[in-house]
Amino acid sequence: MSDMERDNRINIKFAFIREFFILFILLAAFSGFHMWIYQSLEHSKLFETNPQYGINLLMVFVFLTTALITASIGVFRYRTWTLPIKKLGRAAREIAKGNLSIRVSSMRRDGKKDMVEVLFDDFNSMTEELEYINNNLQNLVNEKTEKVVKLQNAILTTMSNLVEFRDDITGGHIERTKNGVKILLDEMKKRGVLNEIINNWDINFLLQSAQLHDIGKIGISDQILKKPGSLTEDEFNEMKKHTIIGYNIIERIERNSGESELLNYAKIFALNHHEKWDGTGYPNGLKGNNIPLEGRIMAIIDVYDALVSERPYKIAYPHEEAITIIKESKNTQFDPVLTDIFIDINKKFISIM
């Protein structure tokens, strides 16, 4: 028994005793006064001949009457208020424990609706609604999440397409590199390579964010971006800035939106996909494992897609020739472990073209 229930029982007992004594005193006074008037009017000699007997008889009558009335009041109060409140209290505790199937049963057999029965009906309607919401909550959450993910993907795809609309020579590059990253990641997980890092990633977010790796090209002029021939040194230095521009764009979106996980992946892809294993890449000249893994993965996929795609300044290399070039760049441009995995499964990348 809880402390609250124990206190309630003590309070009920004291209330019963208090009511009994108050009613007893009132009835005794009323009965004594009534008996005095009766004797005065009827000239009864009851109390004169045997006063002790008369007083005892009066007290027994008053006691029994008081007990009957007090008990009746207690029963009425118990059935009308105490019992309904207890039933509601037990039901509420069950709801707090997660049992939303609990219902409060009717206290009347005649089917009539008094104030308590209406209260019970309202309580049962509330629990039914709670049970329905709880049972469908996951569906509602999944539906809302699906809508948010679709909107998120649409925004990312639209932003990525902005680059391709301007740099129309690389049409489809963003979608192909996203698919290529997935193929390489799946094989790494299968082999248990760098799982201590990959297992901490949200792969769905990672793949979505991969679409933004070239978003910084929005800030590069059309004269450079669409130039049909090779770039001069100054033009190439300008082109290199797309990594930093992309990083800054995504960071600004992150700051304004409050989104962090998804855009954090995107920042890493945008800034690091042109870094090289030997430290000769850009923009920061990172070397070896200092290059974030996301950047090392995208570096291989990005170059492969560039090699097998036709550009105004070059023809599309055959798949086998592109694989040879990537293999020769192992330990210089690309992570050797990732390069070996890429070479082993190179046939899978033909499907993304």
Side-chain angles (χ1 to χ4, degrees), residues 155-179:
I155 293 172
L156 289 176
T157 301
T158 300
M159 291 177 63
S160 303
N161 286 338
L162 288 174
V163 177
E164 293 201 339
F165 287 151
R166 292 192 61 228
D167 188 11
D168 53 11
I169 60 174
T170 61
H173 169 74
I174 290 170
E175 185 66 23
R176 292 194 300 271
T177 51
K178 172 188 170 183
N179 293 335

Side-chain angles (χ1 to χ4, degrees), residues 75-92:
V75 170
F76 176 79
R77 182 189 294 118
Y78 180 79
R79 290 187 59 81
T80 306
W81 297 109
T82 306
L83 184 57
I85 291 173
K86 276 188 173 183
K87 294 183 73 170
L88 288 173
R90 284 194 295 267

Side-chain angles (χ1 to χ4, degrees), residues 229-247:
S230 300
L231 300 179
T232 66
E233 183 178 352
D234 289 340
E235 290 170 338
F236 184 59
N237 287 333
E238 188 67 23
M239 176 63 84
K240 288 180 180 179
K241 293 179 182 178
H242 82 274
T243 53
I244 297 175
I245 293 172
Y247 178 89

Side-chain angles (χ1 to χ4, degrees), residues 95 98-103 127 131:
I95 291 175
N99 180 15
L100 298 180
S101 63
I102 191 71
R103 299 291 184 271
T127 54
E131 186 176 24

Side-chain angles (χ1 to χ4, degrees), residues 195-239:
N195 272 355
E196 67 276 11
I197 299 176
I198 296 174
N199 287 340
N200 292 321
W201 289 351
D202 186 312
I203 300 301
N204 289 329
F205 279 2
L206 183 91
L207 294 175
Q208 291 174 41
S209 66
Q211 300 175 91
L212 297 179
H213 71 278
D214 271 338
I215 192 68
K217 287 184 177 179
I218 291 176
I220 304 300
S221 68
D222 285 346
Q223 288 80 4
I224 296 175
L225 201 61
K226 297 184 176 183
K227 185 177 180 179
S230 300
L231 300 179
T232 66
E233 183 178 352
D234 289 340
E235 290 170 338
F236 184 59
N237 287 333
E238 188 67 23
M239 176 63 84

Side-chain angles (χ1 to χ4, degrees), residues 13-181:
K13 289 179 181 178
F14 276 121
F16 178 83
I17 294 171
R18 183 174 61 250
E19 290 172 358
F20 178 86
F21 276 109
I22 292 173
L23 188 59
F24 180 84
I25 292 171
L26 291 174
L27 282 175
F30 176 78
S31 298
F33 182 68
H34 179 269
M35 188 64 69
W36 177 76
I37 293 176
Y38 173 78
Q39 290 191 125
S40 297
L41 294 176
E42 299 294 330
H43 304 288
S44 172
K45 304 300 182 181
L46 176 63
F47 285 109
E48 291 181 6
T49 58
N50 195 349
Q52 186 63 45
Y53 174 77
I55 293 173
N56 289 342
L57 182 64
L58 178 63
M59 289 300 99
V60 169
F61 169 78
V62 171
F63 181 86
L64 292 176
T65 304
T66 302
L68 179 62
I69 295 175
T70 305
S72 299
I73 293 174
V75 170
F76 176 79
R77 182 189 294 118
Y78 180 79
R79 290 187 59 81
T80 306
W81 297 109
T82 306
L83 184 57
I85 291 173
K86 276 188 173 183
K87 294 183 73 170
L88 288 173
R90 284 194 295 267
R93 286 192 291 273
E94 287 297 313
I95 291 175
K97 295 176 182 177
N99 180 15
L100 298 180
S101 63
I102 191 71
R103 299 291 184 271
V104 181
S105 59
S106 173
M107 294 181 59
R108 297 185 66 118
R109 297 180 179 179
D110 55 12
K112 293 182 179 180
K113 296 291 183 182
D114 56 17
M115 185 170 62
V116 170
E117 296 300 321
V118 171
L119 178 62
F120 283 3
D121 286 345
D122 290 343
F123 183 88
N124 289 336
S125 296
M126 179 194 71
T127 54
E128 287 174 5
E129 185 69 19
L130 286 174
E131 186 176 24
Y132 173 80
I133 292 174
N134 183 69
N135 292 339
N136 291 276
L137 182 60
Q138 191 58 52
N139 292 333
L140 294 172
V141 170
N142 291 340
E143 182 180 343
K144 189 68 175 178
T145 301
E146 184 178 354
K147 289 181 179 179
V148 171
V149 170
K150 285 182 177 179
L151 176 61
Q152 195 174 65
N153 282 332
I155 293 172
L156 289 176
T157 301
T158 300
M159 291 177 63
S160 303
N161 286 338
L162 288 174
V163 177
E164 293 201 339
F165 287 151
R166 292 192 61 228
D167 188 11
D168 53 11
I169 60 174
T170 61
H173 169 74
I174 290 170
E175 185 66 23
R176 292 194 300 271
T177 51
K178 172 188 170 183
N179 293 335
V181 168

